Amino acid sequence: GALGGLGLALGLWRRHTALAASREDEEDKELRQRFMAPPVSGLRELRRRRRELRSRMELLIMETQAEVCRALAALDPGASFSVDTWERKEGGGGISCVLQDGEVFEKAGVNVSVVSGLLSEEAARQMRSRGKSLKAKDGKLPFCAMGVSSVIHPKNPHVPTMHFNYRYFEIEEADGTKQWWFGGGTDLTPTYLNEEDAVHFHKTLKEACDKHDLKLYPKYKKWCDDYFYIKHRGERRGIGGIFFDDVDSPSKEEVFQFVKSCAKAVVPCYIPIVKKHCHDSFTPEEKLWQQLRRGRYVEFNLVYDRGTKFGLLTPGSRIESILMSLPLTARWEYMHTPPESSKEAEILEVLRNPKDWVH
């Protein structure tokens, strides 16, 4: 009788194990179909650590990448994303999805990176200059960083450029304690001002922030206006959105949920604007103004952007991914000034004096 009971228990256990394995296979299949490529950490590892925030963040950035790529591809059916997976010998890797020379998008890139290793001295210096007290062990600071980042440059000058980035950082100090923080944001760079689009974009981001705390949108809107400032031109890169960095309170879970709301707001804040204008007619003069504004975009990214600088200072980083944010085409003209009271002068006014779009 005891042996029969043992046999029955073994049979049930085997069946349970087989069911669990087939359920895991189904989950894996579903995830593989949902993503643009297999996750950097591997599905098995992510499942093993599924309760850890690092795994949940990696799944979120993978889902965001796929969601945005599919929404863009649906608007530009003749074009397709090239998907590159890359590895970093110091630890980790990434997935770069880039669409070039489509009908609607001149260049659209959506990158995921999950990297780990030791922080370079320059990168650590950059962080300390922002007020981080990092205590290294024998000069070494193990770190883990992951994020999704995207820049979309449309062909039509009446469709704005859009950028977003959401990231998570973890550093282990000499005594084993871990410092962690989140950063990110979403911002819009139109060539011409359309008030209705500006209001829609900002309202959608405000709604995402308001779910968590009514103080967040005004705080992060101002941070965005201050951050994307081209000092040598005295103007902002665009009409802003939200931007934040080094956020490590009230709790890891609460900040993660906030970042998740922001990531989910990317498609609804931007795609309706693209749909609305991608077939607008435009003149050669309007195209020229778009090229000049793109030049300003490049200036900001190469001179001031902290993410670009951090990437260039990180050993083993992939330069192609870091410079993916640059447009396919841009222009710099000597002493170009638009005529007073023109549409071109109107956007410059807003770039010099940011507006409150939602009140």
Side-chain angles (χ1 to χ4, degrees):
L3 280 175
L6 184 62
L8 183 66
L10 270 172
L12 285 169
W13 177 77
R14 281 199 190 102
R15 195 177 321 152
H16 172 75
T17 309
L19 276 171
S22 87
R23 202 163 49 239
E24 283 185 358
D25 287 346
E26 278 303 306
E27 271 178 32
D28 283 5
K29 199 170 148 191
E30 192 194 321
L31 282 176
R32 271 197 296 272
Q33 285 168 347
R34 221 161 70 204
F35 298 153
M36 299 300 285
V40 175
S41 299
L43 287 171
R44 191 163 294 167
E45 182 61 16
L46 285 179
R47 193 184 308 103
R48 199 173 63 78
R49 297 191 280 111
R50 67 172 52 171
R51 286 188 180 81
E52 285 182 32
L53 194 121
R54 273 168 63 167
S55 297
R56 291 163 67 207
M57 183 65 180
E58 188 169 346
L59 286 169
L60 173 65
I61 61 180
M62 293 293 299
E63 276 167 16
T64 305
Q65 180 184 50
E67 228 168 77
V68 173
C69 286
R70 290 195 178 115
L72 296 173
L75 294 176
D76 207 339
S80 59
F81 277 94
S82 68
V83 180
D84 281 329
T85 54
W86 50 275
E87 279 180 24
R88 181 175 169 269
K89 69 175 192 294
E90 293 83 355
I95 302 152
S96 297
C97 298
V98 181
L99 181 159
Q100 266 183 182
D101 244 339
E103 287 295 309
V104 175
F105 302 108
E106 187 176 284
K107 188 176 179 194
V110 192
N111 284 352
V112 153
S113 64
V114 180
V115 298
S116 55
L118 297 172
L119 212 56
S120 72
E121 196 40 62
E122 295 100 313
R125 201 177 300 125
Q126 191 189 326
M127 287 178 180
R128 287 191 181 105
S129 73
R130 308 207 310 264
K132 296 262 170 225
S133 62
L134 303 172
K135 293 179 277 296
K137 187 178 188 177
D138 308 325
K140 292 187 173 73
L141 278 166
F143 82 98
C144 150
M146 61 183 68
V148 57
S149 112
S150 171
V151 178
I152 299 154
H153 294 292
K155 281 199 164 162
N156 193 311
H158 299 294
V159 183
T161 283
M162 194 268 281
H163 155 259
F164 76 88
N165 169 292
Y166 291 100
R167 56 194 179 275
Y168 172 69
F169 224 97
E170 215 174 71
I171 288 184
E172 195 176 316
E173 296 194 87
D175 60 1
T177 57
K178 283 186 179 167
Q179 273 205 50
W180 59 267
W181 64 89
F182 289 87
T186 304
D187 61 280
L188 198 68
T189 306
T191 302
Y192 288 96
L193 185 64
N194 180 303
E195 297 240 356
E196 205 178 80
D197 297 345
V199 170
H200 164 80
F201 185 80
H202 277 268
K203 264 197 169 150
T204 311
L205 294 179
K206 183 181 184 296
E207 281 162 21
C209 294
D210 286 356
K211 281 183 206 160
H212 300 271
D213 185 337
L214 296 178
K215 293 191 202 83
L216 295 178
Y217 170 77
K219 180 182 175 183
Y220 294 157
K221 191 260 182 204
K222 183 183 183 311
W223 198 337
C224 188
D225 288 334
D226 293 344
Y227 178 76
F228 291 104
Y229 182 58
I230 309 171
K231 287 191 198 74
H232 61 269
R233 298 281 187 185
E235 60 192 48
R236 271 88 200 149
R237 187 177 79 177
I239 60 160
I242 55 170
F243 180 85
F244 55 91
D245 208 355
D246 302 327
V247 178
D248 56 7
S249 66
S251 71
K252 204 183 253 191
E253 183 59 32
E254 283 169 284
V255 187
F256 173 70
Q257 291 301 335
F258 164 64
V259 166
K260 191 173 179 176
S261 295
C262 293
K264 295 289 173 205
V266 169
V267 168
C269 77
Y270 182 60
I271 295 297
I273 298 174
V274 183
K275 279 184 178 164
K276 185 174 152 190
H277 297 290
C278 63
H279 301 300
D280 287 6
S281 61
F282 58 88
T283 64
E285 291 73 30
E286 287 170 334
K287 187 67 186 170
L288 170 67
W289 178 242
Q290 181 196 45
Q291 297 290 290
L292 292 166
R293 295 313 309 162
R294 293 255 185 87
R296 298 283 206 270
Y297 203 93
V298 173
E299 287 175 28
F300 177 83
N301 281 28
L302 294 182
V303 179
Y304 300 113
D305 188 64
R306 230 171 35 217
T308 306
K309 282 182 175 175
F310 178 80
L312 295 172
L313 295 173
T314 303
S317 59
R318 188 170 185 259
I319 300 305
E320 282 298 323
S321 300
I322 294 158
L323 299 182
M324 173 213 78
S325 64
L326 302 183
L328 209 54
T329 61
R331 186 177 173 102
W332 285 267
E333 270 189 25
Y334 183 67
M335 301 292 279
H336 184 279
T337 313
E340 270 183 54
S341 307
S342 63
K343 283 282 197 192
E344 291 77 14
E346 178 189 33
I347 185 90
L348 277 183
E349 178 55 34
V350 172
L351 299 177
R352 287 170 184 154
N353 303 292
K355 274 178 73 162
D356 176 355
W357 298 101
V358 294
H359 295 106

